[in-house]
Amino acid sequence: MTVELPFFVYGTLRPGERNHDLFLAGRTTRERPATLHGALLYEGPGYPYAVDDPAGSGRVAGTVVTAAPEEYAALLRTLDGLEEYIAPGHPRNLYERVAREVVPADGPAAHAWVYVAAPGIARALAGSGVPIPSGDWSAHTRGPA
């Protein structure tokens, strides 16, 4: 059985991004800004990838999303499908769903599901990917103010 953790979203599922209203609107009880420490953010083909940072100093900006209890199971299946997550370590995964500690802006650290780049993709990004130094996808896509 899967533990019912909130989700940490850092790309197109963040509030104001293109997939938020399509997949999350009306299905959550709480959404709050948060940071994932120990990860780096890379550009993908229209969406980002979070990758574990071996140095441990990277940070990714995002949002902790708490699913409405009656929506949790369906939302988990929906997000797993969107993120092309099949099962832990599956060779066709685009992302791995892992439990990580995140730090909400308004409270103590908590565990949440995070979709990080699958191992093969993470290796390719570390070798030749385009990093997002700010760790903030939304700011990156908006560009300079």
Side-chain angles (χ1 to χ4, degrees):
M1 181 173 168
T2 301
V3 177
E4 291 191 11
L5 296 174
F7 299 91
F8 176 78
V9 297
Y10 56 85
T12 66
L13 288 165
R14 286 177 75 182
E17 296 292 335
R18 70 176 184 267
N19 283 332
H20 179 272
D21 288 352
L22 290 171
F23 294 98
L24 297 176
R27 302 174 86 180
T28 66
T29 59
R30 190 171 188 195
E31 298 180 4
R32 51 199 175 132
T35 303
L36 171 65
H37 295 269
L40 301 170
L41 199 62
Y42 286 88
E43 287 187 21
Y47 48 85
Y49 289 102
V51 175
D52 288 331
D53 177 13
S57 59
R59 294 179 184 192
V60 175
T63 303
V64 173
V65 176
T66 303
E70 67 278 7
E71 292 285 342
Y72 190 86
L75 186 57
L76 180 66
R77 284 189 304 274
T78 296
L79 295 181
D80 281 354
L82 175 68
E83 305 295 5
E84 297 184 41
Y85 169 75
I86 299 164
H90 195 284
R92 290 195 335 245
N93 283 351
L94 187 61
Y95 291 89
E96 289 285 336
R97 177 172 30 94
V98 296
R100 291 285 193 271
E101 186 175 89
V102 298
V103 182
D106 64 351
H111 280 89
W113 290 123
V114 181
Y115 292 91
V116 299
I121 292 169
R123 282 189 299 276
L125 290 167
S128 62
V130 177
I132 300 171
S134 70
D136 188 330
W137 173 254
S138 295
H140 177 73
T141 58
R142 280 193 306 270

